[in-house]
Amino acid sequence: MSEKSTPRRSQAERTRQRKEQVIREAIRFFGQNGYHGARLADIAKAAGVTEPGLLHHFPSKAHLLMEVLAERDHMDREKFGPSRHDEKKPPLAFLQELVNYNETVPGLVQLFTVLVAESIDEKHPGHDFFKHRYHALREQTLIVLQEAQAQGKIRSDIPPEDLGIMLFAMMDGLQVQWLYEPKNIKIASLFEQFLRLLKDK
């Protein structure tokens, strides 16, 4: 039994590694060229597979895009989601940690920024994903904001719903400017200054 199961495990491992390599290359090409500009043939070649081989794992370009978006979101939630909030830290520390991390991965930030802009078009395959993503992020952060206001940790003269919108607008806006001027715009320190403005005085 073990002799038969080992090849199956090896094949499954090779398949997993190929899919991960394709996703890594897709992140790079989508980030550089956007969804419409990226070509499956180029992604496949960079990943060391044929285009038919790529389509065996990801039936279409849209399927590949959604896998890329889901993978990036999963990584962010695992590291920086509201559920990871430490009560000993300031209430919005998890967002500061995310911004700190993003400053080290400009390629991923570029991917996110390009795809968010493209996805405003309702016909874009990522449209619903990003629309629901922003809604979910605001809902999750709203709970943290409400608790922080009730405890007097952040200012309460702004509705928490508005603060949530402002937080993500600040994060995304800083990232756009940083991508244009990475040497002059320091998103981590600027976001930290913004969070100081939200403290209850």
Side-chain angles (χ1 to χ4, degrees):
M1 180 178 293
S2 61
E3 292 181 357
K4 293 181 180 179
S5 61
T6 300
R8 281 199 295 270
R9 284 199 299 270
S10 298
Q11 178 61 34
E13 179 64 17
R14 286 196 296 271
T15 298
R16 183 186 66 79
Q17 290 175 350
R18 278 197 295 269
K19 291 181 70 174
E20 289 180 350
Q21 181 63 25
V22 169
I23 289 175
R24 282 195 295 270
E25 295 301 335
I27 287 174
R28 183 164 67 90
F29 277 92
F30 285 147
Q32 291 174 348
N33 306 305
Y35 172 75
H36 295 293
R39 298 173 62 243
L40 287 182
D42 294 335
I43 295 171
K45 182 178 180 181
V49 300
T50 63
E51 189 170 349
L54 183 153
L55 291 171
H56 173 73
H57 299 296
F58 307 97
S60 70
K61 190 177 180 181
H63 280 85
L64 178 56
L65 173 66
M66 299 316 295
E67 287 283 345
V68 165
L69 294 176
E71 175 63 19
R72 186 187 184 281
D73 241 26
H74 173 73
M75 292 167 58
D76 284 352
R77 283 197 307 271
E78 286 294 306
K79 293 181 179 179
F80 310 109
S83 61
R84 307 288 294 178
H85 174 58
D86 186 342
E87 293 295 334
K88 298 178 182 178
K89 296 180 179 179
L92 298 174
F94 68 97
L95 290 178
Q96 181 68 59
E97 290 167 1
L98 174 58
V99 174
N100 294 348
Y101 171 72
N102 283 345
E103 203 169 43
T104 69
V105 286
L108 285 179
V109 174
Q110 181 174 330
L111 167 70
F112 173 85
T113 304
V114 170
L115 292 179
V116 164
E118 286 188 343
S119 296
I120 293 173
D121 182 352
E122 292 184 358
K123 296 180 181 178
H124 191 283
H127 178 82
D128 288 341
F129 174 89
F130 281 110
K131 182 177 180 179
H132 294 309
R133 180 181 185 274
Y134 274 116
H135 179 78
L137 286 172
R138 290 196 303 267
E139 287 293 308
Q140 293 164 6
T141 307
L142 177 62
I143 298 173
V144 176
L145 292 170
Q146 289 172 330
E147 292 178 351
Q149 285 184 333
Q151 296 168 4
K153 294 181 178 179
I154 64 173
R155 58 192 300 168
S156 58
D157 59 333
I158 302 175
E161 295 84 358
D162 293 347
L163 279 179
I165 295 172
M166 292 165 64
L167 279 167
F168 293 108
M170 175 62 70
M171 290 174 68
D172 291 355
L174 283 174
Q175 288 178 168
V176 170
Q177 296 182 68
W178 172 63
L179 289 171
Y180 278 109
E181 300 182 67
K183 293 182 179 179
N184 299 325
I185 305 293
K186 306 300 180 184
I187 54 175
S189 60
L190 287 168
F191 189 71
E192 184 179 6
Q193 292 180 56
F194 175 70
L195 292 185
R196 284 204 294 269
L197 296 175
L198 302 185
K199 289 184 178 180
D200 193 26
K201 297 180 180 180

